Coordinates of all heavy atoms in Angstrom, one line a residue:
M1 N 0.8 -1.2 0.0 CA 0.0 0.0 0.0 C 0.9 1.2 0.0 O 1.7 1.4 0.9 CB -0.9 0.0 1.2 CG -1.7 1.2 1.4 SD -2.8 1.2 2.9 CE -4.3 0.6 2.2
S2 N 0.7 2.1 -1.0 CA 1.5 3.3 -1.1 C 1.2 4.2 0.1 O 0.1 4.3 0.6 CB 1.2 4.0 -2.4 OG 1.7 5.3 -2.4
R3 N 2.2 4.9 0.5 CA 2.0 5.9 1.6 C 2.1 7.3 1.1 O 2.3 8.2 1.9 CB 3.0 5.6 2.7 CG 2.8 4.3 3.3 CD 3.5 4.1 4.6 NE 3.4 2.7 5.0 CZ 4.0 2.3 6.1 NH1 4.7 3.0 6.9 NH2 3.8 1.0 6.5
R4 N 1.9 7.5 -0.2 CA 2.0 8.9 -0.7 C 0.9 9.8 -0.2 O 1.0 11.0 -0.3 CB 2.0 8.8 -2.3 CG 3.2 8.1 -2.8 CD 3.5 8.4 -4.2 NE 3.7 9.8 -4.3 CZ 4.0 10.4 -5.4 NH1 4.2 9.7 -6.5 NH2 4.2 11.7 -5.5
W5 N -0.2 9.2 0.3 CA -1.2 10.0 0.9 C -0.7 10.9 2.0 O -1.3 11.9 2.3 CB -2.4 9.1 1.3 CG -2.1 8.0 2.3 CD1 -1.7 6.8 2.0 CD2 -2.0 8.1 3.7 NE1 -1.4 6.1 3.1 CE2 -1.6 6.9 4.2 CE3 -2.2 9.2 4.6 CZ2 -1.4 6.6 5.6 CZ3 -2.0 8.9 6.0 CH2 -1.6 7.7 6.4
R6 N 0.3 10.4 2.6 CA 0.9 11.2 3.8 C 1.3 12.6 3.3 O 1.3 13.5 4.1 CB 2.0 10.5 4.4 CG 1.6 9.2 5.2 CD 2.8 8.4 5.7 NE 2.4 7.2 6.2 CZ 2.4 6.8 7.4 NH1 2.8 7.7 8.4 NH2 2.0 5.6 7.8
D7 N 1.6 12.7 2.0 CA 2.0 14.1 1.6 C 0.9 15.0 1.6 O 1.1 16.3 1.7 CB 2.5 14.0 0.1 CG 3.8 13.2 -0.1 OD1 4.5 13.0 1.0 OD2 4.0 12.7 -1.2
R8 N -0.4 14.5 1.6 CA -1.5 15.4 1.7 C -2.1 15.5 3.1 O -3.2 16.1 3.2 CB -2.6 14.8 0.7 CG -2.2 14.8 -0.8 CD -3.2 14.2 -1.7 NE -3.2 12.8 -1.6 CZ -4.3 12.0 -1.3 NH1 -5.5 12.6 -1.1 NH2 -4.2 10.7 -1.2
A9 N -1.5 14.9 4.0 CA -2.0 14.9 5.4 C -2.1 16.2 6.0 O -1.1 17.0 6.1 CB -1.1 14.0 6.3
A10 N -3.3 16.6 6.5 CA -3.5 17.9 7.2 C -2.8 17.9 8.5 O -2.5 19.0 9.0 CB -5.0 18.1 7.4
C11 N -2.4 16.8 9.0 CA -1.7 16.8 10.3 C -0.2 16.9 10.2 O 0.5 16.9 11.2 CB -2.0 15.5 11.1 SG -1.6 14.0 10.2
K12 N 0.3 17.0 9.0 CA 1.7 17.1 8.8 C 2.2 18.3 9.5 O 1.7 19.4 9.3 CB 2.0 17.3 7.3 CG 3.3 16.7 6.8 CD 3.3 16.3 5.4 CE 3.8 17.4 4.5 NZ 3.9 17.0 3.1
G13 N 3.2 18.1 10.4 CA 3.8 19.3 11.1 C 3.0 19.5 12.5 O 3.5 20.3 13.3
E14 N 1.9 18.9 12.7 CA 1.2 19.0 13.9 C 1.9 18.2 15.0 O 2.6 17.2 14.7 CB -0.3 18.5 13.8 CG -1.1 19.3 12.9 CD -1.6 20.7 13.5 OE1 -1.4 20.9 14.7 OE2 -2.0 21.5 12.7
D15 N 1.7 18.6 16.3 CA 2.2 17.9 17.4 C 1.5 16.5 17.5 O 0.3 16.5 17.6 CB 2.0 18.7 18.7 CG 2.6 18.2 19.9 OD1 3.1 17.0 19.8 OD2 2.6 18.9 20.9
L16 N 2.3 15.5 17.5 CA 1.7 14.1 17.6 C 0.9 13.9 18.9 O 0.0 13.0 18.9 CB 2.9 13.1 17.5 CG 3.5 12.9 16.1 CD1 4.6 11.9 16.1 CD2 2.4 12.5 15.1
V17 N 1.3 14.6 19.9 CA 0.5 14.5 21.2 C -1.0 14.8 20.9 O -1.8 14.1 21.6 CB 1.1 15.4 22.3 CG1 0.2 15.5 23.5 CG2 2.5 15.0 22.6
L18 N -1.2 15.7 20.0 CA -2.6 16.0 19.7 C -3.4 14.7 19.3 O -4.6 14.5 19.6 CB -2.7 17.1 18.7 CG -4.1 17.6 18.3 CD1 -4.8 18.2 19.5 CD2 -3.9 18.7 17.2
F19 N -2.7 13.9 18.5 CA -3.4 12.7 17.9 C -3.2 11.4 18.8 O -4.1 10.6 18.8 CB -2.8 12.4 16.5 CG -3.3 13.4 15.5 CD1 -2.6 14.7 15.4 CD2 -4.4 13.2 14.8 CE1 -3.0 15.6 14.6 CE2 -4.8 14.2 13.9 CZ -4.2 15.4 13.8
Y20 N -2.1 11.4 19.5 CA -1.8 10.1 20.3 C -1.9 10.3 21.8 O -1.7 9.3 22.5 CB -0.5 9.5 19.8 CG -0.6 9.1 18.4 CD1 0.0 9.8 17.4 CD2 -1.2 7.9 18.1 CE1 -0.1 9.4 16.1 CE2 -1.4 7.5 16.8 CZ -0.8 8.2 15.8 OH -0.9 7.8 14.4
G21 N -2.0 11.5 22.3 CA -2.0 11.8 23.7 C -0.6 11.8 24.3 O 0.4 11.6 23.5
P22 N -0.5 12.1 25.5 CA 0.9 12.2 26.1 C 1.6 10.9 26.1 O 1.0 9.8 26.2 CB 0.6 12.7 27.6 CG -0.9 12.7 27.7 CD -1.5 12.3 26.5
G23 N 2.9 11.0 26.0 CA 3.7 9.8 26.0 C 4.0 9.3 27.4 O 3.6 9.9 28.4
E24 N 4.7 8.1 27.4 CA 5.1 7.6 28.7 C 6.0 8.6 29.5 O 6.8 9.2 28.9 CB 5.9 6.3 28.5 CG 5.0 5.1 28.3 CD 5.7 3.8 28.2 OE1 6.7 3.6 28.9 OE2 5.3 3.0 27.3
G25 N 5.7 8.7 30.8 CA 6.5 9.6 31.6 C 6.0 11.0 31.6 O 6.4 11.8 32.4
E26 N 5.0 11.3 30.7 CA 4.4 12.6 30.7 C 3.2 12.6 31.6 O 2.6 11.5 31.8 CB 4.1 13.0 29.3 CG 5.3 13.2 28.4 CD 4.9 13.6 27.0 OE1 3.8 14.1 26.7 OE2 5.7 13.3 26.1
P27 N 2.8 13.8 32.1 CA 1.6 13.8 32.9 C 0.4 13.3 32.2 O 0.2 13.6 31.0 CB 1.4 15.3 33.3 CG 2.7 15.9 33.0 CD 3.4 15.1 32.0
R28 N -0.4 12.4 32.9 CA -1.6 11.9 32.2 C -2.7 13.0 32.1 O -2.7 13.9 32.9 CB -2.2 10.8 33.1 CG -1.2 9.6 33.1 CD -1.8 8.4 33.8 NE -2.9 7.9 33.0 CZ -3.5 6.8 33.4 NH1 -3.1 6.1 34.4 NH2 -4.4 6.3 32.6
E29 N -3.5 12.8 31.1 CA -4.6 13.8 30.9 C -5.9 13.3 31.6 O -6.1 12.1 31.7 CB -4.8 14.1 29.4 CG -5.1 12.9 28.6 CD -5.1 13.1 27.1 OE1 -4.8 14.2 26.6 OE2 -5.3 12.0 26.4
T30 N -6.7 14.3 32.0 CA -8.0 14.0 32.6 C -8.9 13.5 31.4 O -8.6 13.8 30.2 CB -8.6 15.2 33.3 OG1 -8.9 16.2 32.2 CG2 -7.7 15.8 34.3
P31 N -10.0 12.8 31.7 CA -10.9 12.5 30.7 C -11.4 13.7 29.9 O -11.6 13.6 28.7 CB -12.1 11.8 31.4 CG -11.4 11.2 32.7 CD -10.3 12.2 33.0
Q32 N -11.6 14.8 30.6 CA -12.1 16.0 29.9 C -11.0 16.5 29.0 O -11.3 17.0 27.8 CB -12.4 17.1 30.9 CG -13.7 16.8 31.8 CD -13.3 15.9 33.0 OE1 -12.2 15.5 33.2 NE2 -14.4 15.4 33.7
E33 N -9.8 16.5 29.4 CA -8.6 17.0 28.6 C -8.5 16.1 27.4 O -8.3 16.5 26.2 CB -7.3 17.0 29.4 CG -7.3 18.1 30.4 CD -6.1 17.9 31.4 OE1 -5.6 16.8 31.5 OE2 -5.7 18.9 32.0
K34 N -8.7 14.8 27.6 CA -8.6 13.8 26.5 C -9.6 14.1 25.4 O -9.4 14.1 24.2 CB -8.6 12.4 26.9 CG -8.5 11.4 25.8 CD -8.6 9.9 26.2 CE -8.5 9.1 24.9 NZ -8.6 7.6 25.2
E35 N -10.9 14.3 25.9 CA -12.0 14.5 25.0 C -11.7 15.8 24.2 O -12.0 15.8 23.0 CB -13.3 14.6 25.8 CG -14.5 14.9 25.0 CD -14.8 13.8 23.9 OE1 -14.3 12.7 24.1 OE2 -15.5 14.1 22.9
A36 N -11.3 16.8 24.8 CA -11.0 18.1 24.1 C -9.9 17.9 23.1 O -10.0 18.4 21.9 CB -10.6 19.2 25.1
R37 N -8.8 17.1 23.5 CA -7.7 16.9 22.5 C -8.2 16.1 21.3 O -7.9 16.4 20.2 CB -6.6 16.1 23.3 CG -5.5 15.7 22.4 CD -4.4 14.9 23.1 NE -4.9 13.7 23.8 CZ -5.2 12.6 23.1 NH1 -5.1 12.5 21.8 NH2 -5.6 11.6 23.8
V38 N -9.0 15.0 21.6 CA -9.5 14.2 20.5 C -10.4 15.0 19.6 O -10.3 14.8 18.3 CB -10.2 12.9 21.1 CG1 -11.0 12.2 20.1 CG2 -9.2 12.0 21.8
Q39 N -11.2 15.8 20.1 CA -12.1 16.6 19.3 C -11.2 17.6 18.4 O -11.6 17.8 17.2 CB -13.1 17.4 20.1 CG -14.1 16.5 20.7 CD -14.8 15.6 19.7 OE1 -15.1 16.0 18.6 NE2 -15.0 14.3 20.1
R40 N -10.2 18.1 18.9 CA -9.3 19.0 18.1 C -8.6 18.2 17.0 O -8.5 18.7 15.9 CB -8.2 19.7 19.0 CG -8.8 20.8 19.9 CD -7.7 21.8 20.4 NE -6.6 21.1 21.0 CZ -6.5 20.7 22.3 NH1 -7.5 20.9 23.1 NH2 -5.5 20.1 22.8
A41 N -8.2 17.0 17.3 CA -7.5 16.2 16.3 C -8.5 15.8 15.2 O -8.2 15.9 14.0 CB -7.0 14.9 17.0
K42 N -9.7 15.4 15.6 CA -10.7 15.0 14.6 C -11.1 16.2 13.7 O -11.4 16.0 12.5 CB -12.0 14.5 15.3 CG -11.8 13.1 15.9 CD -13.1 12.7 16.6 CE -13.0 11.3 17.1 NZ -14.3 10.9 17.8
Q43 N -11.1 17.4 14.3 CA -11.4 18.6 13.5 C -10.3 18.8 12.4 O -10.7 19.1 11.2 CB -11.3 19.8 14.4 CG -11.9 21.1 13.8 CD -12.0 22.2 14.8 OE1 -11.6 22.1 15.9 NE2 -12.7 23.3 14.4
I44 N -9.1 18.5 12.7 CA -8.0 18.6 11.7 C -8.3 17.5 10.6 O -8.2 17.7 9.4 CB -6.6 18.4 12.3 CG1 -6.3 19.6 13.2 CG2 -5.5 18.2 11.2 CD1 -5.1 19.5 14.0
C45 N -8.6 16.3 11.1 CA -8.9 15.2 10.2 C -10.0 15.5 9.2 O -10.0 15.1 8.0 CB -9.3 13.9 10.9 SG -7.9 13.2 11.9
R46 N -11.0 16.2 9.7 CA -12.2 16.6 8.8 C -11.8 17.4 7.6 O -12.4 17.4 6.6 CB -13.3 17.2 9.6 CG -14.1 16.3 10.4 CD -15.4 16.9 10.9 NE -15.2 17.8 12.0 CZ -15.1 17.5 13.3 NH1 -15.2 16.2 13.7 NH2 -14.9 18.4 14.2
S47 N -10.7 18.2 7.8 CA -10.2 19.0 6.7 C -9.1 18.3 5.8 O -8.6 18.9 4.9 CB -9.6 20.3 7.2 OG -8.4 20.1 7.9
C48 N -8.9 17.1 6.1 CA -7.7 16.4 5.5 C -8.1 15.7 4.2 O -9.1 15.0 4.1 CB -7.2 15.3 6.5 SG -5.8 14.4 5.8
L49 N -7.3 16.0 3.2 CA -7.6 15.4 1.8 C -7.2 13.9 1.8 O -7.6 13.3 0.8 CB -6.8 16.2 0.8 CG -7.1 17.7 0.6 CD1 -6.2 18.3 -0.4 CD2 -8.6 17.8 0.2
A50 N -6.5 13.5 2.8 CA -6.1 12.1 2.8 C -6.9 11.2 3.8 O -6.5 10.1 4.1 CB -4.6 12.0 3.1
Q51 N -8.0 11.7 4.2 CA -8.7 11.0 5.4 C -9.0 9.6 5.0 O -8.8 8.7 5.9 CB -10.0 11.8 5.7 CG -10.6 11.2 7.0 CD -11.8 12.0 7.4 OE1 -12.2 13.0 6.9 NE2 -12.5 11.5 8.5
M52 N -9.6 9.3 3.9 CA -10.0 7.9 3.6 C -8.8 7.0 3.4 O -8.8 5.9 3.8 CB -10.9 7.9 2.3 CG -12.3 8.4 2.6 SD -13.1 7.8 4.1 CE -13.2 6.1 3.9
D53 N -7.7 7.5 2.8 CA -6.5 6.7 2.6 C -5.9 6.4 4.0 O -5.4 5.3 4.3 CB -5.5 7.5 1.8 CG -5.9 7.5 0.3 OD1 -6.5 6.5 -0.2 OD2 -5.7 8.6 -0.3
C54 N -5.9 7.4 4.8 CA -5.4 7.3 6.2 C -6.2 6.3 7.0 O -5.7 5.4 7.6 CB -5.4 8.6 6.9 SG -4.9 8.6 8.6
L55 N -7.5 6.4 6.9 CA -8.4 5.4 7.6 C -8.2 4.0 7.1 O -8.0 3.1 7.8 CB -9.9 5.8 7.4 CG -10.9 4.9 8.1 CD1 -10.6 4.9 9.6 CD2 -12.3 5.4 7.8
D56 N -8.1 3.8 5.7 CA -7.8 2.5 5.2 C -6.5 1.9 5.7 O -6.4 0.8 6.1 CB -7.7 2.6 3.6 CG -9.0 2.6 3.0 OD1 -10.1 2.4 3.6 OD2 -9.1 2.9 1.8
F57 N -5.5 2.8 5.7 CA -4.2 2.3 6.2 C -4.3 1.9 7.7 O -3.8 0.8 8.0 CB -3.2 3.5 6.1 CG -1.8 3.2 6.7 CD1 -0.9 2.4 6.0 CD2 -1.5 3.6 8.0 CE1 0.3 2.0 6.6 CE2 -0.3 3.3 8.5 CZ 0.6 2.5 7.9
H58 N -4.9 2.7 8.5 CA -5.0 2.3 9.9 C -5.9 1.1 10.2 O -5.8 0.5 11.2 CB -5.4 3.5 10.7 CG -4.2 4.5 10.9 ND1 -3.9 5.4 10.0 CD2 -3.3 4.5 11.9 CE1 -2.8 6.0 10.4 NE2 -2.4 5.5 11.5
L59 N -6.8 0.9 9.3 CA -7.7 -0.3 9.4 C -7.0 -1.6 8.9 O -7.2 -2.7 9.5 CB -9.0 -0.1 8.7 CG -10.0 0.9 9.3 CD1 -11.1 1.1 8.3 CD2 -10.5 0.5 10.6
Q60 N -6.2 -1.4 7.9 CA -5.6 -2.6 7.2 C -4.2 -2.9 7.6 O -3.8 -4.1 7.6 CB -5.7 -2.5 5.7 CG -7.2 -2.4 5.2 CD -7.2 -2.2 3.7 OE1 -6.3 -2.6 3.0 NE2 -8.3 -1.5 3.3
V61 N -3.4 -1.9 7.8 CA -2.0 -2.1 7.9 C -1.4 -1.7 9.3 O -0.7 -2.5 9.9 CB -1.2 -1.2 6.8 CG1 0.3 -1.4 6.9 CG2 -1.7 -1.6 5.4
S62 N -1.8 -0.6 9.8 CA -1.2 -0.1 11.0 C -1.5 -0.9 12.2 O -2.6 -1.4 12.3 CB -1.6 1.4 11.2 OG -1.2 1.8 12.5
A63 N -0.5 -1.0 13.0 CA -0.7 -1.8 14.3 C -1.1 -0.8 15.4 O -1.3 -1.2 16.6 CB 0.5 -2.5 14.7
A64 N -1.3 0.5 15.1 CA -1.6 1.4 16.1 C -2.9 1.1 16.8 O -4.0 1.0 16.1 CB -1.7 2.8 15.5
Q65 N -2.9 0.9 18.1 CA -4.1 0.5 18.8 C -4.8 1.7 19.5 O -5.8 1.6 20.1 CB -3.7 -0.5 19.9 CG -3.1 -1.8 19.3 CD -4.1 -2.6 18.5 OE1 -5.2 -2.8 18.9 NE2 -3.7 -3.0 17.3
Y66 N -4.2 2.8 19.4 CA -4.7 4.0 20.1 C -4.5 5.2 19.2 O -3.7 5.2 18.3 CB -4.1 4.2 21.5 CG -2.7 4.4 21.5 CD1 -2.2 5.7 21.5 CD2 -1.8 3.3 21.4 CE1 -0.8 5.9 21.5 CE2 -0.4 3.6 21.4 CZ 0.1 4.9 21.4 OH 1.4 5.1 21.4
G67 N -5.1 6.3 19.6 CA -4.9 7.6 18.9 C -6.0 7.8 17.8 O -6.8 7.0 17.5
V68 N -6.0 9.1 17.4 CA -6.9 9.5 16.3 C -6.2 9.3 15.0 O -5.1 9.7 14.8 CB -7.3 11.0 16.5 CG1 -8.1 11.5 15.3 CG2 -8.1 11.2 17.8
A69 N -6.9 8.6 14.1 CA -6.4 8.5 12.7 C -7.6 8.3 11.8 O -8.5 7.6 12.1 CB -5.5 7.2 12.6
G70 N -7.5 8.9 10.6 CA -8.5 8.8 9.7 C -9.8 9.4 10.2 O -10.9 9.1 9.7
G71 N -9.7 10.3 11.1 CA -10.9 11.0 11.7 C -11.6 10.2 12.8 O -12.6 10.6 13.3
L72 N -11.1 9.0 13.1 CA -11.7 8.2 14.1 C -10.8 7.9 15.3 O -9.6 7.8 15.1 CB -12.2 6.8 13.5 CG -13.1 6.9 12.3 CD1 -13.4 5.4 11.9 CD2 -14.4 7.6 12.7
D73 N -11.3 7.8 16.5 CA -10.5 7.4 17.6 C -10.4 5.9 17.6 O -11.0 5.2 16.8 CB -11.0 8.0 18.9 CG -12.4 7.5 19.3 OD1 -12.7 6.3 19.0 OD2 -13.1 8.2 20.0
E74 N -9.6 5.3 18.6 CA -9.4 3.9 18.6 C -10.7 3.1 18.8 O -10.8 2.1 18.1 CB -8.4 3.5 19.7 CG -8.7 3.9 21.1 CD -8.2 5.3 21.5 OE1 -7.9 6.1 20.5 OE2 -8.1 5.6 22.7
D75 N -11.6 3.5 19.6 CA -12.8 2.8 19.8 C -13.7 2.8 18.5 O -14.3 1.8 18.1 CB -13.7 3.4 20.9 CG -13.0 3.2 22.3 OD1 -12.1 2.3 22.4 OD2 -13.2 4.0 23.2
E76 N -13.7 4.0 17.8 CA -14.5 4.1 16.6 C -13.9 3.2 15.5 O -14.6 2.6 14.7 CB -14.5 5.6 16.2 CG -15.4 6.4 17.1 CD -15.2 7.9 16.9 OE1 -14.1 8.3 16.4 OE2 -16.1 8.6 17.2
R77 N -12.5 3.2 15.5 CA -11.9 2.3 14.4 C -12.2 0.8 14.7 O -12.5 0.1 13.7 CB -10.4 2.5 14.4 CG -10.0 3.8 13.7 CD -8.6 3.8 13.2 NE -7.6 3.5 14.3 CZ -7.2 4.4 15.2 NH1 -7.6 5.6 15.2 NH2 -6.4 4.1 16.2
R78 N -12.2 0.4 15.9 CA -12.5 -1.0 16.3 C -13.9 -1.3 15.8 O -14.2 -2.3 15.2 CB -12.3 -1.3 17.7 CG -10.9 -1.7 18.1 CD -10.8 -2.3 19.5 NE -11.0 -1.2 20.5 CZ -10.0 -0.5 21.0 NH1 -8.8 -0.6 20.5 NH2 -10.2 0.5 21.9
A79 N -14.8 -0.4 16.1 CA -16.3 -0.6 15.8 C -16.4 -0.6 14.3 O -17.1 -1.5 13.7 CB -17.1 0.5 16.4
Y80 N -15.7 0.3 13.6 CA -15.8 0.3 12.1 C -15.3 -1.0 11.5 O -15.9 -1.6 10.6 CB -15.0 1.5 11.6 CG -15.1 1.8 10.2 CD1 -16.0 2.7 9.7 CD2 -14.2 1.2 9.2 CE1 -16.0 3.0 8.3 CE2 -14.3 1.5 7.9 CZ -15.2 2.4 7.4 OH -15.3 2.7 6.1
R81 N -14.2 -1.4 12.1 CA -13.5 -2.7 11.6 C -14.5 -3.9 11.8 O -14.7 -4.7 10.9 CB -12.2 -3.0 12.3 CG -11.4 -4.1 11.7 CD -10.1 -4.3 12.5 NE -9.1 -3.2 12.2 CZ -8.6 -2.4 13.1 NH1 -8.9 -2.5 14.3 NH2 -7.7 -1.5 12.7
R82 N -15.2 -3.9 12.9 CA -16.1 -5.0 13.2 C -17.3 -4.9 12.2 O -17.7 -6.0 11.7 CB -16.6 -4.9 14.6 CG -15.7 -5.5 15.7 CD -16.4 -5.7 17.0 NE -16.9 -4.5 17.6 CZ -16.2 -3.7 18.4 NH1 -15.0 -4.0 18.7 NH2 -16.8 -2.6 18.8
R83 N -17.8 -3.7 12.0 CA -18.9 -3.6 11.0 C -18.5 -4.1 9.6 O -19.2 -4.8 9.0 CB -19.4 -2.1 10.9 CG -20.3 -1.6 12.1 CD -21.0 -0.4 11.7 NE -20.2 0.7 11.3 CZ -19.6 1.6 12.2 NH1 -19.7 1.4 13.5 NH2 -18.8 2.6 11.7
M84 N -17.3 -3.7 9.2 CA -16.8 -4.1 7.9 C -16.7 -5.7 7.8 O -17.0 -6.3 6.8 CB -15.5 -3.5 7.6 CG -15.5 -2.0 7.3 SD -16.6 -1.5 5.9 CE -18.1 -1.0 6.7
Q85 N -16.2 -6.3 8.9 CA -16.0 -7.7 9.0 C -17.4 -8.4 8.9 O -17.5 -9.4 8.2 CB -15.2 -8.1 10.2 CG -13.8 -7.8 10.2 CD -13.1 -7.9 11.5 OE1 -13.7 -7.9 12.6 NE2 -11.8 -7.9 11.5
R86 N -18.3 -7.9 9.6 CA -19.7 -8.4 9.6 C -20.3 -8.3 8.2 O -20.9 -9.2 7.6 CB -20.6 -7.8 10.6 CG -20.4 -8.3 12.0 CD -21.5 -7.9 12.9 NE -21.7 -6.5 13.1 CZ -21.1 -5.8 14.1 NH1 -20.4 -6.4 15.0 NH2 -21.3 -4.5 14.1
K87 N -20.1 -7.2 7.6 CA -20.6 -6.9 6.2 C -20.0 -7.9 5.2 O -20.7 -8.5 4.4 CB -20.3 -5.5 5.8 CG -20.8 -5.1 4.4 CD -20.6 -3.6 4.2 CE -21.1 -3.1 2.9 NZ -20.1 -3.2 1.8
T88 N -18.7 -8.1 5.3 CA -18.0 -9.0 4.4 C -18.5 -10.4 4.6 O -18.7 -11.2 3.7 CB -16.4 -9.0 4.7 OG1 -16.0 -7.6 4.5 CG2 -15.7 -9.9 3.8
A89 N -18.7 -10.8 5.9 CA -19.2 -12.2 6.2 C -20.6 -12.4 5.6 O -20.9 -13.4 5.0 CB -19.2 -12.4 7.7
R90 N -21.4 -11.3 5.8 CA -22.8 -11.4 5.2 C -22.8 -11.6 3.7 O -23.5 -12.4 3.1 CB -23.6 -10.1 5.5 CG -24.4 -10.2 6.8 CD -25.5 -9.1 6.9 NE -25.0 -7.8 6.6 CZ -24.4 -7.0 7.4 NH1 -24.3 -7.3 8.7 NH2 -24.0 -5.8 7.1
E91 N -21.9 -10.8 3.0 CA -21.8 -10.9 1.6 C -21.3 -12.2 1.1 O -21.7 -12.7 0.1 CB -20.8 -9.7 1.1 CG -21.5 -8.4 1.2 CD -20.5 -7.2 0.9 OE1 -19.3 -7.5 0.8 OE2 -21.0 -6.1 1.0
R92 N -20.4 -12.8 1.9 CA -19.9 -14.2 1.5 C -21.0 -15.2 1.6 O -21.0 -16.2 0.9 CB -18.7 -14.5 2.4 CG -17.4 -13.8 1.9 CD -16.2 -14.4 2.6 NE -15.0 -13.6 2.2 CZ -14.1 -13.2 3.1 NH1 -14.2 -13.6 4.3 NH2 -13.1 -12.5 2.6
R93 N -21.8 -15.0 2.6 CA -22.9 -16.0 2.8 C -24.0 -15.9 1.8 O -24.7 -16.9 1.5 CB -23.5 -15.9 4.2 CG -22.6 -16.5 5.3 CD -23.4 -16.6 6.6 NE -24.0 -15.4 7.0 CZ -23.4 -14.5 7.9 NH1 -22.3 -14.8 8.4 NH2 -24.1 -13.4 8.3
S94 N -24.3 -14.7 1.3 CA -25.4 -14.5 0.4 C -25.1 -15.1 -1.0 O -23.9 -15.0 -1.4 CB -25.8 -13.0 0.3 OG -24.7 -12.3 -0.3
P95 N -26.1 -15.6 -1.6 CA -25.9 -16.3 -2.9 C -25.5 -15.3 -4.0 O -25.8 -14.2 -4.0 CB -27.2 -17.0 -3.2 CG -28.2 -16.4 -2.3 CD -27.5 -15.7 -1.2
Ligands
SF4_101 S1 -7.0 11.8 8.5 FE1 -6.2 12.8 10.3 S2 -4.6 11.5 11.1 FE2 -5.0 10.9 9.0 S3 -3.5 12.0 7.8 FE3 -5.4 13.2 7.8 S4 -5.1 14.6 9.5 FE4 -3.6 13.0 9.8

């Protein structure tokens, strides 16, 4: 899978903490701080020309289990992946 979509990423040059949260050894954020941070990251994703490519990459290739990517947080990506798996299973079963 080509990663040229990264050239169009709206998050290029942004602080990674905004998308992935504080790193190990850094002060933890409160749930309210996390929610505000995630919403700011998703706002950037909404303006991103590479959003669908980024989402595809994070659903199919990336091992990232947390953080905002493709406009979705980790829980939303897991739910999206499950929906896609169910849809694929249904399509395989149908004649
Ligand atoms: S969708 Fe969001 S995380 Fe993905 S490249 Fe665009 S701005 Fe970055």
Side-chain angles (χ1 to χ4, degrees):
M1 173 182 266
S2 166
R3 296 192 187 180
R4 295 200 60 175
W5 55 268
R6 289 174 191 253
D7 295 340
R8 297 178 282 127
C11 57
K12 212 156 91 175
E14 293 285 345
D15 186 350
L16 287 179
V17 170
L18 183 59
F19 289 83
Y20 295 101
E24 279 184 37
E26 294 177 23
R28 296 184 68 172
E29 58 193 355
T30 66
Q32 293 82 6
E33 288 169 337
K34 180 179 180 183
E35 179 60 23
R37 174 181 59 73
V38 165
Q39 290 308 319
R40 285 199 309 277
K42 287 180 177 179
Q43 192 172 8
I44 294 172
C45 292
R46 282 194 286 276
S47 71
C48 181
L49 297 175
Q51 185 176 0
M52 288 314 297
D53 291 322
C54 176
L55 182 58
D56 281 348
F57 174 79
H58 283 86
L59 290 172
Q60 295 176 30
V61 178
S62 171
Q65 300 293 312
Y66 63 94
V68 173
L72 303 180
D73 64 32
E74 56 270 21
D75 294 336
E76 293 167 332
R77 284 199 305 281
R78 271 193 290 276
Y80 187 94
R81 190 179 285 120
R82 281 195 300 270
R83 281 197 305 276
M84 291 299 103
Q85 287 167 343
R86 282 196 297 267
K87 182 173 181 270
T88 302
R90 266 196 314 274
E91 288 170 356
R92 283 191 182 137
R93 281 195 306 265
S94 65

